[in-house]
Amino acid sequence: DRDCPEVDYPVRPNLYKKHASHQLRLVQKYISEFQYNFLPHTFFNTNKNRPLARIMDTCKQMVKECLPIRCLEASFLAVYITQELREVDRIPLSFKTEFRGE
């Protein structure tokens, strides 16, 4: 549609031969370039109880479609983008959003 504005796609950072702290700053900047999803639904499968390979497939879809994301999708993207970084420790965690005490 000619009336729709062009979407700027975030450019995946080149992490090759950079110090780990610089790599992580680049990853954070990349993820921050995605718009936040304020809608009551998500555009992607956010089920955490699936194989990592399926979550990575979802990440490929997120990068390709560049739709707004929420925190969990951003966490998925962080794992996807940093999967080759051997110097980065990953700690399993879980979180639940609380809004207005609920």
Side-chain angles (χ1 to χ4, degrees), residues 28-84:
Q28 178 63 55
K29 181 180 180 298
Y30 173 71
I31 293 171
S32 295
E33 290 174 0
F34 283 78
Q35 296 294 313
Y36 185 81
N37 180 7
F38 291 97
L39 298 174
H41 64 277
T42 60
F43 295 104
F44 305 103
N45 182 347
T46 56
N47 179 0
K48 299 178 287 187
N49 299 317
R50 8 179 220 148
L52 182 60
R54 298 294 70 83
I55 292 173
M56 297 300 99
D57 288 343
T58 299
C59 292
K60 291 174 190 174
Q61 182 184 6
M62 284 189 266
V63 169
K64 180 181 177 185
E65 296 180 12
C66 194
L67 294 170
I69 61 175
R70 292 187 182 164
C71 297
L72 183 56
E73 289 115 326
S75 299
F76 288 172
L77 270 180
V79 172
Y80 176 67
I81 301 299
T82 63
Q83 62 186 328
E84 301 297 322

Side-chain angles (χ1 to χ4, degrees), residues 7 9 21 24 29 36 40 51 58 69 81 91 99:
V7 175
Y9 284 82
S21 62
L24 294 177
K29 181 180 180 298
Y36 185 81
T58 299
I69 61 175
I81 301 299
I91 302 168
F99 181 68

